Amino acid sequence: MKFSRMFIPTTKETPSDATLPSHQYLIRGGFISQSGAGLYDFLPLGKIVLDKIRAVVKDEMDRSGANEMLCSFVTPMSFWEESGRNLTMGSELLRFKDRKSGEYVLSPTNEESVVNMVKNRITSYKNLPLNLYHINTKFRDEARPRFGLMRGREFLMKDAYSFHASQECLIKEFKNMEEAYKRVYTRLGLDFRIVDADSGAIGGSGSKEFMVLANSGEDTIVICPDCDYGANIEAAIRAKKIVPNWQETTNTPIAQEKVLTQGMKTIEEVSNFLSTSQAQSIKAVMKKAVYEDKTEVVVFFVRGNDELEETKACNAVDALELVDVSEEEIKEAGLVAGYCGPFGLPEAVTFVIDEELKDEVGLVCGANEEDYHFTGTDLSTLKDAKYFDLVAVQEGDTCSCCGGKLEYTKGIEAGHIFQLGSKYSSAMDATFLDENGKAKPFEMGCYGIGVSRLVAAVIEQNHDDKGAIWTKETAPFLVDVIVSNAKKDEELEAGLKIYEDLKALGIETIIDDRTKERFGFKMSDFELIGFPYAVVVGKRLSEGFVEIIDRKTLEKEDVEVSRVTQVLFEKLKA
């Protein structure tokens, strides 16, 4: 391809709303253009990158044994009503009516569509397992679309759905998909981590995320440097904290006692007054849980020096979401802000205690009475209390796998795999006959890769202050032949010869043959766009040399014209 014939509208101007490097460089480098809030057009260079990533994903999915199909982008609302997700997906699900008042949605994902596709067509265990995938447009009506392709409303996604006769078969395919995803990200040249994750609105019994490591990532990942453990903070676990109770440390007999703590509403104030550590107390966090048909005030209890992880808390009470609660709502529920504890709560109040506190003794907590706290509590005396993992794992906590110290890092979610079980097949009455002739719902898995998001993720991990640095597998062109002065016939002819020779070797090459642009402008475009290598045909051509520039390191190397194609071939093969 010739630069002079290609639509590559580069610019020095950075959009005011572009805060991430990928957003800035994709716009400035002429890869994408914004057409609306969270809506982007792929320009020629961007489309090449998108297609390259798509091809890698397709290749590995085909290699895994999955079958490619294509679902309609528009889905009947009736499918979503069958599964119940018309209520749980919220406002991200874009609904509309056609001219005949039929209700439809723009698909954000396709579990329902694929279940409907397989239902009544696969009727026997003899036809299982089956894995169907497609690479198609999705739409989620994000409340705050931002960060360019990282969080747009319309995006390209690979989603796959597997059907099984047993849980054991599902787990086998889950591992097969995990290996396929590893190959995808490795081929794309990405540094990534596989982490345990929360299943969210998709549901199911287990899920893993594939995180591209980048400082700009929205997700906080908990990792152990001493082993392979990794998890999104929403699902991270740790070894139980061992905290001596304060009576033991002061040789005081353990007995529950109500003490006056007038005006002391915070963990810090009460701990200082009683000369205890914050870890020796119980913190109450009040929230309003939102359900399909009601809202209610709920209370979560964690250790005093821990923080509540809201996704875990939401799952603990099976709520759609948790929102802040007002002082008036707290009073109406019969609770006392600043003095709330698990002993003596109003019977109607739902409460959950962090599982690390189960059967703990000697802790300080609110007495559910203004100006009073309990000391010397014994949680084993609580009847019918619900325990759940509620805490946000902190840096320095102990790894439950190896005993190492956990750390935080940032990541971009680029893939997610789920063990769905029979959630959707049961809801939509999709069954098969097992070997005993008995009707059973399919065991299902689903597996997603954000194809268009990966375009941005590659840059987030590979860029400098000059522009993008594409990996070899994702670059729109591998080599940019820059003719320093295309008005000079000898330079243009030499550049074209190198260009044709590289193409003959199967190396994707573009030649910057523009006659109206200065050399400095062409170099700036090379650095901004991020082709892996440039060949500069210029001042040393009369001596029989050209210059090869490595975009990643910006190192320059003079090479004889007769050797340039061979040198580049070896570099790209390395």
Side-chain angles (χ1 to χ4, degrees), residues 491 536-547 558-559 561:
E491 288 189 14
V536 179
V537 181
K539 59 184 179 181
R540 293 203 64 192
L541 180 61
S542 60
E543 302 170 37
F545 285 90
V546 293
E547 188 177 66
D558 288 332
V559 177
V561 174

Side-chain angles (χ1 to χ4, degrees), residues 48-154:
I48 293 172
V49 175
L50 185 68
D51 285 348
K52 283 193 160 190
I53 293 173
R54 185 191 189 283
V56 171
V57 173
K58 173 177 168 50
D59 187 48
E60 292 300 341
M61 288 304 296
D62 291 344
R63 180 181 169 189
S64 75
N67 298 185
E68 186 173 16
M69 50 82 188
L70 186 63
C71 287
S72 170
F73 176 42
V74 175
T75 308
M77 175 61 83
S78 59
F79 291 1
W80 292 76
E81 290 170 345
E82 276 191 79
S83 70
R85 283 206 299 173
N86 61 316
L87 300 173
T88 59
M89 282 296 290
S91 56
E92 285 190 6
L93 190 65
L94 186 61
R95 303 159 166 87
F96 67 96
K97 292 184 179 181
D98 67 6
R99 67 177 68 192
K100 296 181 179 179
S101 296
E103 295 185 325
Y104 295 89
V105 304
L106 295 185
S107 301
T109 179
N110 283 106
E111 283 79 6
E112 288 83 358
S113 297
V114 181
V115 169
N116 183 71
M117 182 185 294
V118 170
K119 179 180 176 180
N120 298 326
R121 290 184 173 90
I122 296 291
T123 57
S124 169
Y125 73 96
K126 295 177 182 178
N127 303 119
L128 297 172
L130 175 69
N131 191 334
L132 300 172
Y133 83 95
H134 67 161
I135 302 173
N136 202 11
T137 300
K138 299 289 186 294
F139 190 93
R140 292 177 187 171
D141 201 3
E142 292 273 359
R144 293 178 58 227
R146 58 197 187 279
F147 307 144
L149 299 182
M150 296 294 294
R151 190 170 287 280
R153 293 194 294 165
E154 182 181 289

Side-chain angles (χ1 to χ4, degrees), residues 2 11 76 84 87 96 160 171 192 198 207 352 356 426 436 449 496:
K2 295 181 179 180
T11 177
L87 300 173
F96 67 96
I171 292 173
F192 66 96
D198 176 69
S207 69
V352 184
E356 286 192 19
S426 293
N436 298 314
I449 289 180
L496 286 169

Side-chain angles (χ1 to χ4, degrees), residues 433-471:
L433 296 179
D434 67 9
E435 49 266 283
N436 298 314
K438 183 179 179 182
K440 287 186 176 180
F442 295 103
E443 294 289 327
M444 289 180 60
C446 75
Y447 320 92
I449 289 180
V451 179
S452 53
R453 176 178 277 202
L454 278 170
V455 175
V458 172
I459 297 182
E460 288 301 323
Q461 199 173 81
N462 300 275
H463 68 271
D464 58 19
D465 59 358
K466 296 179 182 295
I469 304 172
W470 294 102
T471 62

